[in-house]
Structure formats: C-alpha cells, structure tokens
Amino acid sequence: MSSQPKPQILFTRQEVKATVDRLAAEIREDYQGKHPLLIGVLKGSFVFMADLIRLLDFPLEVEFITLSSYGRGRSTRGELRMVKGLHTEVKGRHILVVEDIVDTGHTISFLLDYLGKKKPASLRLCSLTDKPSRRQIPVAIDYLGFTVPDKFIVGYGIDWDERFRYLPDICFVEVED
Ligand code: IMP
Ligand code: MG
C-alpha cells in the first residue's frame, strides 16, 4: 500500500457528539411540527446526518443528493452538476440542507440556488464544519458545528480521495495542494 498522511485529531468524538447534540437541540426548537425535509449532500454528510436525525424526535423526511465538480484536487473548481437528484417535491416544504463542510462556498451556493428556485416554504443550511478562510462566495450557515482552520479535514464521514471517512474523530491531514 502506498504511504499516506497520518490524520491528526482536531475535534475528538466526544466533542463531535456534544456539538451534534447542540445542533439537534437548535433544530428541534425551530422545526418541531414543521415536517421538514432534510437534504444531505453526499457523500460527506452521511455520518453526520445519521447521528443528527436520531436526535430529532419529530416527523421528518430525509433525502440525499450528489453533486460533482470536475477534478479531484483540493479545491472545487469548474462547473458543478447534480449527479443524483431529488425524488421528493421541494415546493412548499421546509428544507434543511445538511452539509459536511463549506469551503469556497461554490458547492453549497449552487445547491441553495437550485433549491430556492423550487419555491420551498423555507430553506436553511446546517453544516458540520466551516472553513471561512477559503470562502469565495458568501454563505449564511444557519446551524454550524465547528469552524475549522485552513487544513484538509477528514473523518466522521469526510474523506481525502475516499480515504479516512471511517475515523470517528474530526481530523486533518497534511496534503499537497
Ligand atoms: P466548496 O465548494 O469549496 O465550498 O467545497 C465544498 C465541498 O468540497 C465540501 O462539501 C467537501 O465535500 C469538499 N471539501 C472542501 N474542503 C474539504 C476538506 O477539507 N476535506 C474534505 N473535503 C473537503
Ligand atoms: Mg460535501
């Protein structure tokens, strides 16, 4: 096997759990009785989504979408497109987008624009992490877990070229740009 960078812990699993508990409490407060549709952005949000919804004690629905951008480098560059779309009507629904990380902001802005055009009753964003130092497009994050430094984040569902998703802590790796 080729050598790979060693992940270093940024936030422990206990800190992650406490933060997901906090986000769930905020979401419970705002969405009780609204039957929201939570839309997870694959693949990075799947672990976060799984933990989050089990802390929400009211009726809701879950969908996942896949977006792709060209290139596999660190930055999101070029055109974004929807690879796996939605099977549920968005019009008139309370939509909560669940994302793993907002970096330059291109991906989530594209998705929020796309969903906004479908006339939801409300549209908000919950992101596990935010890397504001690299932002190119302004993004309002309604429910934010952690602000992270300008490092490459992995673990708790988040990958580096498909590696390290299984790590229970939020970590970072030193990688070349
Ligand atoms: P953006 O379009 O630059 O905001 O990037 C958004 C997407 O790129 C995120 O949803 C992640 O899937 C991926 N991404 C950005 N930064 C990182 C990182 O540090 N680790 C892993 N994936 C990242
Ligand atoms: Mg993502």
Side-chain angles (χ1 to χ4, degrees), residues 41-42 44 99-101 107:
V41 187
L42 288 174
E99 177 60 301
D100 56 352
I101 180 159
T107 306

Side-chain angles (χ1 to χ4, degrees), residues 31-46:
Y31 285 90
Q32 194 76 245
K34 289 188 170 166
H35 199 129
L37 174 63
L38 275 62
I39 302 179
V41 187
L42 288 174
K43 300 179 197 172
S45 70
F46 82 105

Side-chain angles (χ1 to χ4, degrees), residues 73-115:
R74 173 182 154 141
S75 313
T76 305
R77 292 193 192 91
E79 199 180 315
L80 281 154
R81 59 196 173 92
M82 199 80 56
V83 175
K84 180 196 169 293
L86 294 167
H87 302 286
T88 308
E89 177 98 64
V90 165
K91 190 172 179 197
R93 297 293 303 269
H94 292 283
I95 306 293
L96 181 61
V97 174
V98 177
E99 177 60 301
D100 56 352
I101 180 159
V102 180
D103 187 26
T104 63
H106 283 281
T107 306
I108 206 67
S109 308
F110 170 84
L111 180 61
L112 292 174
D113 282 355
Y114 171 87
L115 293 171

